[in-house]
Amino acid sequence: MRAPAQPLTLFTAPLTAEQAEKLRTILLRGEFDFEPKPYTLYYAKKAKLNIAVYEKGPKIVVQGKGTEEFVEFTLEPEVLGAARLGYEETLNPEIYEPHFGIDESGKGDFFGPLIIAGAYVNPDIVRELQAAGVRDSKKISSDARLRLLARAIKKIRGILIETVVIAPPRYNELFEKIGNLNRLLAWGHARVIENLAKRQPDCPRALSDQFAHPKLIERALMKSGQSLRLEQRTKAESDPAVAAASIIARERFIDWMDLTGQRLGVKLPRGASAPVKAVARDLVAAHSPSILRETAKTHFKTVAEVIDLSE
């Protein structure tokens, strides 16, 4: 039985310049509050509904409580002139076709592993993901919410999930050998694709977010994955399979961070900011500089900063 459909809380669509101006007039008439935001023609909000019209495109992003009603009763009839809501399979048929989606987590974090995850989807699985409210993990601010979504993803019948976890000791060893983060990412993406292809050999396509030249992954693929059509594009997380992979990867990342932090008696912060450096200095002081090879990515310039400050 399918989970009950969740209310739509995110909608995007391209606009013409004329449509963008028409919408601005409608929002002013509707007593929306306007605020300046980078890269937007304008940004407006009312209660828990947020509307951003970006310069590039232009493109509208509607987000928050009331999205579905705004799109159905205002945006479509008064601005777009055509119904898009509920017609995703007609407008974006490729997201419903069987394919693998691949994404990673941890590449920008000083502490923690690099996780690459992949998910196989077909039309029924995509509908289940949409009903569960699956979206790009970077747009999910709560760890509790992310874990709930990860649990829902794993329960979907027919979905296949693969992960490659490169913990810091192995990550540092591989980076020193390969010497390039994009090549390391390509190796991890290729391994996930290979593992999925062995389990679902008739899948025709794999999609991942573009982080480098597509040839890097193609060269890293072995026999099982070489028959696939490999696609890379920016903003690939809008695809449900890639979004599911991003959630699974992020869950594995935060689990590692929590467990390792508990073992060391500290909370390992994410990113590479000042609080990260402070914790790194404390760890070096309590153990030795070698603790960073066990817990962090040592090619980050943070290492030199932390060791210099701790001496």
Side-chain angles (χ1 to χ4, degrees):
M1 180 182 295
R2 288 188 193 171
Q6 300 294 313
L8 183 74
T9 57
L10 178 67
F11 179 87
T12 66
L15 297 176
T16 65
E18 293 78 11
Q19 287 172 330
E21 282 307 306
K22 185 174 184 180
L23 177 61
R24 187 200 298 266
T25 302
I26 291 169
L27 297 177
L28 286 167
R29 191 175 65 222
E31 299 181 349
F32 278 75
D33 294 322
F34 284 73
E35 297 178 4
K37 290 282 185 182
Y39 314 113
T40 66
L41 292 174
Y42 53 87
Y43 172 86
K45 65 179 183 179
K46 187 176 182 181
K48 295 184 178 180
L49 180 65
N50 303 290
I51 297 167
V53 175
Y54 288 92
E55 295 169 346
K56 190 174 181 180
K59 179 182 78 170
I60 183 173
V61 177
V62 186
Q63 194 166 14
K65 187 176 181 180
T67 293
E68 193 163 340
E69 293 81 359
F70 179 82
V71 172
E72 185 174 357
F73 298 113
T74 302
L75 185 63
E76 288 181 341
E78 297 188 44
V79 179
L80 300 178
R84 298 186 182 208
L85 197 61
Y87 291 87
E88 291 88 353
E89 292 191 51
T90 301
L91 296 168
N92 299 301
E94 72 281 356
I95 72 173
Y96 293 88
E97 295 169 358
H99 64 286
F100 303 140
I102 303 92
D103 203 7
E104 74 281 329
S105 184
K107 71 177 180 181
D109 296 279
F110 176 61
F111 287 118
L114 176 66
I115 313 282
I116 300 98
Y120 164 77
V121 302
N122 59 29
D124 288 339
I125 295 169
V126 170
R127 294 185 195 104
E128 296 280 1
L129 291 170
Q130 291 172 326
V134 168
R135 56 196 173 108
D136 177 15
S137 67
K138 290 186 284 297
K139 297 179 180 178
I140 303 168
S141 58
S142 161
D143 287 354
R145 173 65 177 158
L146 185 134
R147 286 190 166 108
L148 281 173
L149 285 171
R151 197 176 308 145
I153 290 167
K154 294 169 189 174
K155 288 181 179 178
I156 294 174
R157 175 179 287 186
I159 196 167
L160 301 178
I161 295 167
E162 288 287 336
T163 57
V164 167
V165 179
I166 310 176
R170 179 62 171 157
Y171 177 98
N172 294 320
E173 179 186 336
L174 286 171
F175 190 90
E176 288 161 10
K177 179 180 178 181
I178 296 172
N180 181 279
L181 178 56
N182 285 338
R183 288 180 181 172
L184 181 52
L185 278 168
W187 176 85
H189 279 238
R191 297 292 76 76
V192 167
I193 292 169
E194 287 284 338
N195 293 341
L196 285 169
K198 288 174 183 174
R199 297 174 65 188
Q200 193 71 37
D202 60 346
C203 182
R205 180 170 65 98
L207 172 66
S208 72
D209 196 48
Q210 188 164 350
F211 57 85
H213 197 285
K215 289 290 183 185
L216 277 179
I217 297 181
E218 290 173 9
R219 293 187 190 120
L221 284 170
M222 294 184 290
K223 187 174 180 181
S224 297
Q226 288 177 349
S227 61
L228 282 163
R229 186 170 84 253
L230 177 62
E231 296 178 10
Q232 286 183 263
R233 67 168 186 254
T234 57
K235 310 295 185 186
E237 300 92 343
S238 62
D239 179 276
V242 179
S246 78
I247 288 170
I248 296 299
R250 197 64 182 169
E251 182 198 37
R252 291 294 297 271
F253 177 82
I254 62 177
D255 283 349
W256 189 98
M257 294 283 277
D258 287 351
L259 289 170
T260 303
Q262 289 168 16
R263 177 172 59 83
L264 294 171
V266 298
K267 181 172 177 58
L268 295 177
R270 302 168 200 175
S273 61
V276 172
K277 295 174 189 176
V279 170
R281 288 196 296 270
D282 290 344
L283 285 173
V284 169
H287 302 273
S288 72
S290 64
I291 191 67
L292 298 181
R293 287 192 65 84
E294 300 175 28
T295 58
K297 303 173 183 72
T298 55
H299 66 90
F300 276 44
K301 65 180 182 180
T302 311
V303 168
E305 295 169 353
V306 164
I307 292 174
D308 287 343
L309 289 169
S310 67
E311 293 177 341

